[in-house]
Amino acid sequence: MRSQPIGRDRLGHAYWVTQDNDCNLRIYQEHLDEEIWQVVATNREEYVKLIKSLRGSEVVLPSADIGIVDEDTCSSSCQSVSEN
């Protein structure tokens, strides 16, 4: 069963949170039109930056060093996003 996203930005992108077995959090941004998931935050510094951007109604862009996950080629590592 799929849970609900934690929120949406002004462009309609949905945000999802996952937690692994080591309690590491990741925040993904879902682009419905392009059917891709982008990791936008993986640590405290990135969480703070994301929150400030969303509060300021800025467009959130992932860092260059954070990858894109294609839903069609999603491995077991990103299945938790769709299953949570």
Side-chain angles (χ1 to χ4, degrees):
M1 181 177 349
R2 188 177 214 177
S3 65
Q4 296 297 314
I6 59 170
R8 295 186 184 274
D9 64 18
R10 66 184 180 91
L11 298 177
H13 301 134
Y15 291 84
W16 301 82
V17 174
T18 63
Q19 181 177 343
D20 64 18
N21 292 337
D22 296 323
C23 296
N24 295 309
L25 296 176
R26 287 183 178 253
I27 299 178
Y28 293 84
Q29 180 186 64
E30 179 184 17
H31 293 251
L32 297 174
D33 296 340
E34 301 170 19
E35 296 184 357
I36 59 172
W37 296 73
Q38 295 178 289
V39 179
V40 292
T42 60
N43 59 48
R44 187 180 192 289
E45 181 181 310
E46 292 169 351
Y47 303 144
V48 170
K49 182 179 175 182
L50 175 63
I51 291 167
K52 285 181 182 179
S53 295
L54 291 171
R55 282 187 178 160
S57 296
E58 297 175 27
V59 174
V60 176
L61 300 173
S63 301
D65 60 336
I66 299 178
I68 296 174
V69 179
D70 185 336
E71 285 184 4
D72 294 332
T73 60
C74 187
S75 67
S76 62
S77 65
C78 66
Q79 285 181 345
S80 62
V81 173
S82 61
E83 293 174 359
N84 286 339

